[in-house]
Amino acid sequence: MLEVRNLVAGYGEVEVIRGLSLTVAAGQIVAVLGANGVGKTTLNKTLSGLLPVGAGEIHFDGARIDTASPSEIVARGLIHVPEGRKIFPNMNVRENLELGSYRRAKPRRAGNLERVFSIFPRLRERAGQYAGSLSGGEQQMLAIGRGMMAEPRLLILDEPSLGLSPLLVEEMFALIARLNAEGQAILLVEQNVVQSLDIAGTAYILENGACALSGPAAELAANPALRRAYLGL
């Protein structure tokens, strides 16, 4: 579904992503893991067309998209839920969700809204409430729900557990696993190595904008080098 080949990207003359290659197949959870500052968010912005590609190629659903605009990429079904939620605080929950279908899936807005409310019952309860008054966990639910309104073929989740309490982190990873069990392909970009490897099929570990380790998530979880570097074991 997604194939990234030898990607180079960054900000002006500063290269952040250095020759990265990865693939995501239909129905998979693929985790991209690493410490803060290794290029994870830069990768997401490049995949979404928000940053230019310096070199390499990005293919999505058989089409090359590394020169496509962000709106064209969204229209194809590559949907990015950004780090920090980026909700509209002065709009209510329903209005935030409806904006998720602005570029894609607008004719099926009502049905998709009902699906999001079935996945996130708390959002139904707070449909008329200003988004800025929600808790951190509820705002993250809203951000994911807004992404789901666009009927994503591939959903990029950028640090969905960031800033959540341990209990809400557990809930968030259970939700991601549930979405995937329903057939949703997910590119999970996280610092939370342990729980990401628990639910992913494949994982890539980034260091300095390049892939340091990759393979089946279960094998990486048992890798001594990764356990020393990230788990302190």
Side-chain angles (χ1 to χ4, degrees):
M1 177 174 284
L2 176 69
E3 184 176 6
V4 177
R5 303 175 185 168
N6 303 313
L7 181 65
V8 175
Y11 305 88
E13 296 182 0
V14 179
E15 286 187 0
V16 178
I17 301 297
R18 302 178 175 92
L20 180 64
S21 297
L22 62 82
T23 59
V24 182
Q28 266 195 316
I29 295 180
V30 172
V32 175
L33 308 171
N36 196 29
V38 299
K40 303 188 303 298
T41 293
T42 301
L43 169 64
N44 292 342
K45 289 181 176 180
T46 307
L47 295 177
S48 301
L50 299 172
L51 288 175
V53 171
E57 300 178 2
I58 304 170
H59 296 256
F60 181 64
D61 252 1
R64 189 168 173 179
I65 63 167
D66 45 81
T67 59
S69 69
S71 62
E72 291 170 335
I73 292 170
V74 167
R76 290 179 178 275
L78 181 58
I79 307 300
H80 177 188
V81 178
E83 178 185 358
R85 299 140 197 171
K86 304 295 191 295
I87 59 166
F88 297 95
N90 296 323
M91 300 175 70
N92 68 33
V93 167
R94 182 184 294 271
E95 290 166 340
N96 269 268
L97 291 172
E98 289 175 345
L99 279 176
S101 60
Y102 179 79
R103 186 64 178 84
R104 177 177 163 86
K106 189 180 293 186
R108 295 173 295 281
R109 175 180 287 170
N112 288 334
L113 186 63
E114 185 58 35
R115 180 181 178 229
V116 169
F117 282 153
S118 71
I119 295 170
F120 302 106
R122 273 179 279 180
L123 296 185
R124 186 194 300 275
E125 296 169 7
R126 292 156 174 75
Q129 186 172 327
Y130 283 127
S133 67
L134 300 177
S135 69
E138 290 165 346
Q139 289 185 14
Q140 187 62 69
M141 293 176 193
L142 178 57
I144 295 175
R146 184 178 57 189
M148 296 302 296
M149 289 291 293
E151 297 180 358
R153 293 186 49 71
L154 175 61
L155 187 65
I156 300 175
L157 299 179
D158 192 349
E159 303 279 12
S161 73
L162 186 66
L164 301 183
S165 69
L167 182 60
L168 286 177
V169 169
E170 293 283 349
E171 186 177 328
M172 188 57 59
F173 277 96
L175 165 71
I176 294 167
R178 175 186 167 191
L179 291 175
N180 178 249
E182 295 176 359
Q184 179 65 60
I186 296 171
L187 182 62
L188 175 61
V189 181
E190 263 284 354
Q191 292 186 56
N192 191 322
V193 171
V194 175
Q195 286 168 293
S196 297
L197 292 176
D198 279 344
I199 65 171
T202 302
Y204 296 82
I205 310 297
L206 298 193
E207 288 185 4
N208 298 318
C211 181
L213 292 168
S214 66
E219 292 182 11
L220 289 182
N223 185 298
L226 182 138
R227 291 170 68 84
R228 283 194 302 271
Y230 290 96
L231 308 183
L233 301 174

